[in-house]
Amino acid sequence: MAVKELPVLTNYDISPVTGFLPTDEPLQLLSDPYFQPWEDTFNSFNGLLLASRLRQRVQELPVLDASRLKTKAEQRRGYLILCMLSHAYVWGKHEVAAESLPASLAVPWQKVADMLEMQPVLTHAAVVLWNWRLLYKDGPRDLSNLDTLATLSGSSDESWFYLVTTAIEATGAPVLSKILSAMQLVRDADQTGLIQELEAIRGIIMDLVAVLRRMFERCDPYVFYWKVRPYLAGWENMTEAGLPNGVRYEGVDNGQYKRLAGGSAAQSSLIHVLDIAFGVEHHPTGFRPNKSHGAHTNAAHVNGHTSNSYNDAAPKAQGLAPSTTEAAATAPAPALGSGSTNFIQKMRFYMPGPHRNFLTHLTDVANIRPYVLSQAAAFEKGSRPAEVEELITVYDECVHQIKVFRDVHIQMVTLYIVMQANRGPSISHGGFVSPSHAHAPKKAEANGTAEKTAPVANGADETSASLASAKKGSSILYPQKVIFGAPYGLAKKQEEGVVRGTGGTDLIPFLRQSRDETNDSKIVPTSSIGTRKSSFAA
């Protein structure tokens, strides 16, 4: 069988230097005067939203032809504008959620989404990949030199939330070439070179963790939960928000409703690359197979050849069809807790088409984990050559750092979402809640959650302790939007114990399972990794 070539980054709109971020800064203006109505509305939409006049302005907009956006940069700018305006329109401020999106937004949004091979809903690509500028043109792409182009709330906290993620994408960019190099070294059977590349990859992942931890510096949990997060949600699994059918896009697909997930960190192609490279397998939440460490992926793809014994179903489970046909876009999404498509894999549906296609190609040629497994199995434990032991160690250290990344994310979700949901707003009305919810903060404080902030942890035990510090069982998706028992924005009261993400998933069980599935990919179980001589920091 012929060996499939490794993917070339530039063939998939990916830069070896900037990764999934565009090489050039995103446009700050559509220069064609034809699109001035969009730019004018975009420039003032925070004020219009605050004054409850955004919907009126949108209804006055003409239906512009998005096909006049000729370059990728123009299309990305148009997509960002339409994402921001549309989510502000649907969720409003002190307004009932709108289940119908006017043609002035819906028609061009669908068109530009098709051009980018994406979906017409706010995505990670819109607010993270294409929503930044450099403060100094000759400066680095890091948090010392980045600013956002737009926010939904107008707050610096929201800017920091996006920019930390943009900085993660920039920091992780070099890992893409390193992973492809490691795959080539597997094909060349160059174990020494592979160890060196894995050591470099481990260092980059550790840098990603360090950047993620900076979220706590300048993004206030209260502001994020009560002022920012509501606008990031999509319209899938949003019955409690008064959108049981999703949102109807006027002038698109005969006005059919679309049920689409909102922006999610799971839409980051960078994180998917790490999962693919290290053989992390994800499953529908609650349906995780009981598999032993190091045994759930057979050795194959070692030299670019695919063995029938190597999880033949994996490509189907790990990739979604790249089609963005109207039928696919309007069809109800699969239930998150059933079927063969899990939430993480479904999020590829919301990535730019070239990035999604890259992940499919990478999955087809992934060979690092099978190679390490084959080396581990070739020798009896205790008799392995030192170089093989070193290979296994550095591989497991890479996987461990991905797990640490997910641990920190769980800590963040606990502080920024779970604890905020249980505490309630700092003032009784908050502009959002009914008087019946006015005493929620006092109740939370009585339970000791108001002043307790869990430290960032590196393991499952610390994460569980953090979750335990929050009042168990939040019963409201977005309590800030419950007004006199009627849907007033994002949600009504829902089943006990469920806190949903902006993508619509049952958040904490999903994140915990993703973390545990990452840990399962270690060759040596966690219980013994801490006793091995290692240079990595947890």
Side-chain angles (χ1 to χ4, degrees), residues 161 164-165 168 209 211-216 219 221 224 405-420 454-457 463 466 507-508 511:
F161 176 71
V164 166
T165 318
I168 286 173
V209 175
V211 177
L212 180 61
R213 283 181 165 137
R214 295 198 62 189
M215 184 68 73
F216 302 98
C219 181
F224 172 77
F405 187 92
R406 287 189 159 117
D407 276 324
V408 175
H409 189 210
I410 293 174
Q411 290 285 334
M412 195 172 297
V413 168
T414 302
L415 176 61
Y416 282 79
I417 298 175
V418 177
M419 294 180 72
Q420 300 308 310
V456 175
T463 298
S466 169
L507 196 54
I508 295 301
L511 293 175

Side-chain angles (χ1 to χ4, degrees), residues 297-300 306-312:
T297 304
N298 298 321
T306 303
S307 166
N308 291 333
S309 66
Y310 175 53
N311 196 7
D312 291 335

Side-chain angles (χ1 to χ4, degrees), residues 173-203:
V175 85
L176 304 177
S177 295
K178 293 290 183 184
I179 285 172
L180 291 177
S181 174
M183 290 180 176
Q184 184 59 53
L185 290 165
V186 168
R187 294 184 174 197
D188 297 339
D190 184 347
Q191 195 165 110
T192 301
L194 175 60
I195 290 171
Q196 292 174 349
E197 288 290 32
L198 290 177
E199 288 173 342
I201 291 169
R202 178 191 60 200

Side-chain angles (χ1 to χ4, degrees), residues 38 41 53-64 81-92 95-111 120 235 243 246-258:
W38 287 1
T41 306
R53 299 184 67 179
L54 177 67
R55 290 178 178 175
Q56 175 187 342
R57 172 68 70 86
V58 166
Q59 289 164 358
E60 295 170 353
L61 286 174
V63 180
L64 301 182
I81 290 173
L82 294 168
C83 283
M84 291 285 191
L85 294 182
S86 297
H87 275 247
Y89 184 95
V90 169
W91 296 123
E95 299 165 291
V96 175
E99 66 172 358
S100 185
L101 192 65
S104 58
L105 295 180
V107 172
W109 201 14
Q110 180 67 66
K111 179 65 177 179
W235 19 95
L243 300 177
V247 169
R248 187 169 69 89
Y249 288 53
E250 295 179 8
V252 177
D253 304 331
N254 298 317
Q256 294 183 28
Y257 283 87
K258 295 179 184 289

